[in-house]
Every structure is written in C-alpha cells, then in structure tokens.
Amino acid sequence: MSMEKVYIDMETGKKPPVMEGKEIIPTGKQFDPFVMTCEENGFTSLQRKRSIYLIFEGMVPKVDFYPVPSLTLFAHDGRSGYYAHGGKGMMESPVYFVSEKLECWYLAENFRSFVQMVVFEPNWKEIITGEKTEINETKEELTAFGMLFGLSVSEEKLSKKIHREPAFQIFKNIEKAREKVFVL
C-alpha cells in the first residue's frame, strides 16, 4: 500500500512538517549560491566560454517558474534557462536544466560530470534547443580548459545521457502548480 503524497511549498523557508503515514514531497525552488571570489578560475572561464553564469550570494535572481518536486538552482544561461540539482547537495545530486519552455532536462549524474560534459562537449545544448552551436576549439584548447577543473575527456559521450526528465513538472508559477497539485 502506497503512502498518500503531501506536497509542501519549500519557498516559504519553513521546515516541512513530519506527517506520519504521509510521503512529504518538497516543491518550489531553492538556491545554492556560490561565494564570490576575486580570482580568475575555471568558473569564470565556464561563464565566458560556455555561457553558464553561476548564481552568487547576494545576487539571487527573481525566478517565477515553480518546480514539482523541488529543484535547487545554482546557475543560469544568461537568457531564460536555469541549471539545478535535486537538492541533496550539488556534488552528489543529478544536474538538470530548466528551459525557457519550462521543460526539465536531465543533464548529468552529478556536478563533476556536468562540468566534464560542458567542457569537452561544447555543443551539448543542441540536444535541448535544437540550435546549432558554433564552438570551434582545438583538442589542445579543450584539454587546457579541462585542466582548470582537474578533468580529462570521458571514455563515453556524456551528452548521450541528456533526456527530458519526466519526474519534474515545471509550472509558470505557484498558482499554475496549485491548479494541478495540492501544495501546502
């Protein structure tokens, strides 16, 4: 016998209640901001070369969409797309992309694999957007970029694992989510 699911809005900042005999499903978005440093590093190159803009403390954007279950945002693409993880911690959780079309895409099994794919497979986003990406870097340039993160080329093509993630529904806002799911 399966437990009744209870959806709890995590954007309120309150700790979800313990409800005996109920499966608590956190909803909404959280943020996992980075601490800003002044030094040039791989993450600055990630922004400049791959248009992945990390979210920093004190610079958390206003984002209207509402995920069910909850996602934790850590970066954006400079347009309307956001990078997120499943909330167990960025290094351990799968990484997802929420597109401007409010689709959730599975990208990688963890942050390290995500960065590895982004560095060595610069055209990975074509799978999601269908837009041709013109990044023409030599093998030597890719290797040097990967060294900033202590990474080397994967044996397998990591972008082959990208797929629409059916476990997440992305709504325009909490009101639209509440039309489909009873969120406390």
Side-chain angles (χ1 to χ4, degrees):
M1 179 189 221
S2 65
M3 287 195 273
E4 180 183 357
K5 294 179 181 181
V6 177
Y7 296 88
I8 304 291
D9 179 15
M10 296 304 293
E11 292 186 13
T12 63
K14 296 177 184 173
K15 187 176 177 185
V18 175
M19 301 172 93
E20 200 169 310
K22 311 276 187 208
E23 180 183 359
I24 303 297
I25 312 258
T27 64
K29 60 204 161 300
Q30 307 294 303
F31 290 90
D32 196 355
F34 288 79
V35 175
M36 192 174 298
T37 62
C38 296
E39 61 198 48
E40 169 74 19
N41 58 31
F43 295 107
T44 304
S45 295
L46 201 59
Q47 178 176 311
R48 191 175 57 248
K49 291 182 173 197
R50 300 295 189 266
S51 297
I52 295 175
Y53 301 88
L54 301 178
I55 296 171
F56 291 101
E57 287 182 352
M59 300 171 72
V60 174
K62 181 181 180 327
V63 181
D64 290 329
F65 70 79
Y66 193 87
V68 175
S70 181
L71 285 170
T72 303
L73 283 55
F74 65 86
H76 63 88
D77 67 0
R79 295 167 47 182
S80 300
Y82 285 86
Y83 299 92
H85 63 80
K88 296 176 189 157
M90 188 174 348
M91 300 314 256
E92 300 84 32
S93 295
V95 174
Y96 303 97
F97 179 75
V98 177
S99 73
E100 62 185 287
K101 295 178 182 176
L102 302 181
E103 300 168 328
C104 185
W105 293 83
Y106 170 90
L107 299 181
E109 64 183 303
N110 56 42
F111 187 72
R112 183 176 175 81
S113 295
F114 166 67
V115 173
Q116 190 174 24
M117 177 184 68
V118 167
V119 168
F120 295 109
E121 299 177 44
N123 299 328
W124 67 271
K125 206 170 182 184
E126 288 179 25
I127 295 167
I128 294 170
T129 65
E131 297 172 19
K132 210 61 165 150
T133 310
E134 294 300 325
I135 298 176
N136 298 314
E137 296 171 335
T138 66
K139 187 175 181 177
E140 292 77 21
E141 289 170 323
L142 290 174
T143 301
F145 190 20
M147 287 174 53
L148 290 173
F149 301 96
L151 298 171
S152 58
V153 178
S154 172
E155 299 275 325
E156 63 182 318
K157 190 167 173 102
L158 297 172
S159 61
K160 285 188 176 201
K161 295 180 180 181
I162 294 174
H163 63 272
R164 287 278 307 272
E165 181 51 69
F168 291 93
Q169 295 180 66
I170 310 298
F171 296 95
K172 186 175 181 177
N173 53 43
I174 190 170
E175 291 79 20
K176 293 292 183 189
R178 285 188 168 136
E179 290 175 11
K180 301 283 183 189
V181 179
F182 181 71
V183 178
L184 295 176

